[in-house]
Amino acid sequence: MIDPSQPENPNSRCGFVAIVGRPNVGKSTLLNHILGQKLSITSRKPQTTRHQVLGIQTRGDVQAIYVDTPGMHEEEPRALNRYMNRAASSALKDVDVVVFVVDQTHWTTADDMVLRKLENVKAPIILAVNKVDKVENRDSLLPHLAELAKKYDFAEIIPLSALRGQNLAPLEEAVDRLLPVSIHFYPDDQLTDRSQRFLASEIVREKITRQLGAELPYSVAVEIEEFKQEGMVLHIAALILVEREGQKKIIIGDKGERIRRIGQEARIDMEKLFDSKIMLRLWVKVKKGWADSDRALKSLGMDDF
């Protein structure tokens, strides 16, 4: 029996790294830039991420398994919000390193709430201060970092810009140092634990979120009903679920113009990700109350936690 703590290569390191924080601080953008490939969906709308997504980065002897989590909510009025909080909290169990992402000089009560959840975590916590490229008064940054250092005994405090890929190397190097000696858990060329069907559904949801912004609430889900390779073409059929008839009309748009644009943009990303020509079909269905129903969430595969 292999003992992962005693690898043949004494320099081999591997472990799980949870990326946590309140909604819309750039967790998914950070993961995508670390991996050098788009894996987690992003938008300017908070709470875009709903699921835990593993992103596997292998660099030489070190394999860091990043867990991108939904933003933690201060309130849990809906079943969907409760699910996302459970997904985020469960990522903290048995991880080796935590990367706590905050937004430049904006510390909020939601950040306090996340920090309280981290107090019982045994793993070292790196504070990643994101979006520092947007700080207008650079002289205010150092005093702010000093104040953050008083809030918790962080292993490191690293200012960076996930969107611009600035100062990510110190973060990755800090993670590498903190990971335990271990064999690698995944093949060195594997990028994620998620299926291609899951990634396809997330791409469609991202395009909906980006196109509609404030026009549509969070009550949109995507189910992949067909995922089949035929020769050089990958055929994908996706069902978009909304809660009300009015939301269906918004997604379809005037004479179907909007849903066509959603499909076009999703297809471009899918062809890059799956390295195949894509035939994508989309349609919209009303499923009332799914975001408030634990049973409906379970039927959509959101019952991991």
Side-chain angles (χ1 to χ4, degrees):
M1 183 175 179
I2 297 175
D3 180 358
S5 66
Q6 300 294 327
E8 292 182 10
N9 176 3
N11 297 317
S12 178
R13 292 178 176 272
C14 182
F16 289 87
V17 184
I19 303 177
V20 301
R22 62 179 166 85
N24 211 31
V25 290
K27 298 181 296 296
S28 296
T29 301
L30 178 60
L31 175 62
N32 290 338
H33 278 270
I34 286 172
L35 297 176
Q37 183 168 335
K38 184 170 183 176
L39 181 63
S40 283
I41 68 172
T42 62
S43 81
R44 292 184 178 181
K45 191 168 187 175
Q47 306 170 22
T48 301
T49 302
R50 289 180 183 167
H51 307 267
Q52 281 185 13
V53 178
L54 290 191
I56 304 162
Q57 183 200 51
T58 305
R59 298 187 303 158
D61 294 330
V62 181
Q63 183 174 85
I65 305 163
Y66 287 91
V67 188
D68 184 23
T69 64
M72 294 184 180
H73 302 253
E74 291 186 90
E75 297 180 0
E76 305 178 359
R78 313 192 77 188
L80 179 59
N81 285 2
R82 292 194 298 274
Y83 165 80
M84 289 193 283
N85 266 359
R86 289 197 303 272
S89 297
S90 69
L92 298 173
K93 297 175 182 176
D94 302 321
V95 296
D96 301 288
V97 182
V98 174
V99 176
F100 176 19
V101 185
V102 296
D103 188 348
Q104 42 180 318
T105 57
H106 304 149
W107 184 273
T108 69
T109 56
D111 294 314
D112 279 324
M113 178 273 297
V114 176
L115 187 57
R116 287 196 300 273
K117 288 180 179 288
L118 296 176
E119 286 175 352
N120 295 322
V121 174
K122 295 179 181 178
I125 300 170
I126 299 171
L127 185 67
V129 184
N130 193 21
K131 307 180 187 178
V132 295
D133 55 307
K134 295 183 178 180
V135 176
E136 293 181 5
N137 182 5
R138 305 291 289 186
D139 292 338
S140 68
L141 186 57
L142 283 177
H144 178 65
L145 296 179
E147 286 301 311
L148 293 178
K150 297 175 184 177
K151 292 181 179 292
Y152 188 84
D153 184 19
F154 296 109
E156 301 266 358
I157 298 179
I158 301 174
L160 53 84
S161 170
L163 184 62
R164 299 188 183 281
Q166 295 175 348
N167 215 36
L168 298 189
L171 174 63
E172 295 173 72
E173 290 164 6
V175 168
D176 289 355
R177 288 194 301 271
L178 294 169
L179 289 175
V181 173
S182 169
I183 61 169
H184 292 181
F185 299 156
Y186 293 93
D188 287 356
D189 59 351
Q190 187 168 338
L191 179 68
T192 183
D193 67 327
R194 288 291 188 169
S195 69
Q196 290 184 321
R197 294 176 74 103
F198 170 83
L199 297 175
S201 71
E202 288 288 88
I203 287 172
V204 173
R205 192 165 64 84
E206 177 190 67
K207 302 312 173 188
I208 294 169
T209 305
R210 287 191 166 195
Q211 288 247 352
L212 298 174
E215 289 186 66
L216 205 65
Y218 301 102
S219 45
V220 175
V222 178
E223 285 188 276
I224 300 299
E225 297 198 324
E226 180 186 38
F227 194 97
K228 183 169 60 177
Q229 186 82 43
E230 292 184 352
M232 303 294 290
V233 180
L234 178 58
H235 294 262
I236 300 174
L239 175 63
I240 301 166
L241 294 173
V242 295
E243 290 191 301
R244 295 191 294 276
E245 194 66 38
Q247 296 168 351
K248 178 178 179 179
K249 292 178 181 178
I250 290 172
I251 289 179
I252 293 173
D254 185 31
K255 298 179 181 178
E257 185 271 338
R258 181 166 270 157
I259 197 169
R260 279 196 298 274
R261 198 174 340 135
I262 290 167
Q264 289 166 358
E265 293 184 4
R267 181 175 53 77
I268 290 170
D269 275 12
M270 289 178 185
E271 288 184 344
K272 290 178 184 175
L273 182 62
F274 302 136
D275 195 23
S276 176
K277 181 175 175 58
I278 302 292
M279 184 67 69
L280 176 63
R281 291 180 291 126
L282 303 176
W283 61 91
V284 189
K285 178 181 177 181
V286 177
K287 187 170 186 175
K288 293 182 179 180
W290 74 263
D292 288 311
S293 166
D294 288 312
R295 179 180 295 178
L297 291 176
K298 190 171 184 178
S299 73
L300 292 170
M302 300 185 194
D303 61 338
D304 317 62
F305 313 102

